[in-house]
Amino acid sequence: MRWHSQQRGERFYGDVSERVRNKFRREMFDSLTAYTYPWASLATLEIIHDFYWSVVVIDDYLDQPGFRGNVTRTRSALAHYADVLAYPDKRGTPAVPQDRNARLVETWWHALVPFTEPAWRRRFVGHMNAWFDACCWETDQLGRDRPFEEGEFWDHRLHLFGSLTYMDMLHLDMPQAIPEHVHDSPLYQRYLDTAVECLCYFNDLISYQVEESTGSAHSNLISILRAQYGCGVEAAASHVADLYALHTQQLVDLEPQIQIVFPEHREALHQVFTRVGMWQAGFIRWHEESGRYSDPKEGGISVPQSTS
């Protein structure tokens, strides 16, 4: 699956490090977008694809040795991207991109703005800024060259790699939009947070072996638990698997609760719940088929079956 012309594809894929090329083959990344957002129109899918590709590129850029431990440099780089996202709600004219990554952000952001309302952009930009803050925290932690402290990790967990923006993208192209008072309610926010937490636990389990072997498991919960409590891989993975099962069940339980509280929006809520289910199933399918991480049958960590 390819959503881009050759010229556009080179802009988004040609100028990246070999590390990104090895981590995300272009076809593999295309299929991830298609699997997790199967309801999206082609135009929306292209925007989502370009957005997540820029996240991968920015994340890789910040992994360079010159950023590790240098919060000032990291924050300065991220400020360029935040400046692009300030248009049109916080600034009247578009920002001038300062580097290659800012130009990537500008491309998908200017394509996205005409399809969104100010309330959606407020939430999305808030989640992006929270990701930027989490990047600065991660940079500082890596510079200290010690395992992440569990308590601080939980404070930033949902924002690492821009995870809550996944939920924002699920609310695009809604025939009946979720009203702002519903979206901002603690119960609905808990549902969205729980959906992201399920993905985080699943990713911890399925990615640990590969990340450990490549020295990139610093933000994997299994690695953090092992360092914090001195336990083995099996005990830490078992705890994460329990958390994954618990939060999956919580996600299922929250859906009827939200519909009871907001019965007048039952149809729109049902559409969101369906999309969340598609997103989770698509992510699992992509992991199974992409070959990015090792097969549990070949020595990886087994992942419990979802109850949803």
Side-chain angles (χ1 to χ4, degrees):
M1 303 173 189
R2 290 184 182 274
W3 317 122
H4 308 279
S5 66
Q6 181 66 27
Q7 181 180 4
R8 191 171 184 221
E10 281 304 305
R11 182 168 75 249
F12 277 89
Y13 189 68
D15 190 20
V16 296
S17 73
E18 192 65 26
R19 176 178 175 275
V20 170
R21 289 180 179 274
N22 291 336
K23 187 176 182 181
F24 284 107
R25 297 190 309 275
R26 181 60 186 270
E27 293 80 4
M28 185 187 350
F29 195 80
D30 287 350
S31 65
L32 172 60
T33 311
Y35 282 177
T36 50
Y37 297 92
W39 49 267
S41 65
L42 180 59
T44 300
L45 199 61
E46 286 184 338
I47 294 171
I48 294 173
H49 178 284
D50 293 350
F51 162 61
Y52 283 118
W53 183 248
S54 72
V55 170
V56 169
V57 172
I58 291 170
D59 186 69
D60 175 69
Y61 178 64
L62 297 178
D63 272 347
Q64 295 182 78
F67 285 100
R68 181 166 295 205
N70 193 334
V71 177
T72 300
R73 184 183 178 191
T74 301
R75 195 171 294 281
S76 176
L78 294 171
H80 296 317
Y81 319 142
D83 202 27
V84 172
L85 297 175
Y87 173 81
D89 301 301
K90 293 293 182 67
R91 58 178 297 157
T93 57
V96 178
Q98 299 297 311
D99 59 24
R100 176 199 69 182
N101 294 342
R103 288 193 292 274
L104 288 179
V105 173
E106 179 191 48
T107 299
W108 58 257
W109 181 242
H110 286 192
L112 183 59
V113 163
F115 297 101
T116 58
E117 298 295 329
W120 186 94
R121 294 195 296 271
R122 171 183 60 81
R123 290 189 296 269
F124 176 81
V125 172
H127 291 152
M128 286 292 287
N129 287 330
W131 174 47
F132 296 158
D133 288 341
C135 287
C136 292
W137 170 81
E138 186 175 23
T139 293
D140 180 56
Q141 295 297 303
L142 291 173
R144 298 172 188 270
D145 197 26
R146 59 175 173 80
F148 288 0
E149 196 276 326
E150 185 188 3
E152 292 184 7
F153 174 72
W154 285 116
D155 292 339
H156 298 278
R157 167 80 157 178
L158 292 180
H159 301 297
L160 289 170
F161 209 66
S163 298
L164 283 173
T165 60
Y166 302 162
M167 297 296 99
D168 296 321
M169 294 299 176
L170 287 173
H171 288 79
L172 293 174
D173 289 350
M174 290 279 290
Q176 296 184 34
I178 300 293
E180 194 167 357
H181 75 280
V182 177
H183 208 297
D184 292 342
S185 68
L187 187 61
Y188 193 73
Q189 286 300 307
R190 182 184 167 198
Y191 174 80
L192 299 179
D193 288 353
T194 301
V196 172
E197 286 172 334
C198 288
L199 174 65
C200 290
Y201 294 131
F202 175 82
N203 194 68
D204 288 329
L205 290 165
I206 202 166
S207 68
Y208 175 75
Q209 279 207 321
V210 170
E211 291 178 342
E212 181 70 14
S213 67
T214 58
S216 58
H218 53 267
S219 60
N220 190 298
L221 182 56
I222 294 174
S223 179
I224 292 170
L225 293 176
R226 291 187 65 195
Q228 188 83 13
Y229 299 104
C231 57
V233 174
E234 185 176 351
S238 177
H239 181 63
V240 174
D242 288 344
L243 289 172
Y244 174 58
L246 174 65
H247 283 77
T248 299
Q249 187 58 52
Q250 287 178 349
L251 194 68
V252 173
D253 295 340
L254 280 168
E255 292 182 359
Q257 294 178 35
I258 296 171
Q259 290 182 322
I260 289 172
V261 174
F262 302 107
E264 67 276 22
H265 304 294
R266 183 176 295 271
E267 186 173 339
L269 289 168
H270 176 72
Q271 185 172 26
V272 171
F273 300 156
T274 300
R275 288 184 176 187
V276 168
M278 290 179 175
W279 173 72
Q280 289 184 313
F283 198 84
I284 292 171
R285 178 186 171 194
W286 178 77
H287 271 291
E288 291 173 342
E289 296 183 4
S290 69
R292 180 184 173 195
Y293 296 125
S294 61
D295 188 334
K297 296 177 182 178
E298 299 176 0
I301 296 170
S302 61
V303 179
Q305 294 297 311
S306 171
T307 58
S308 61

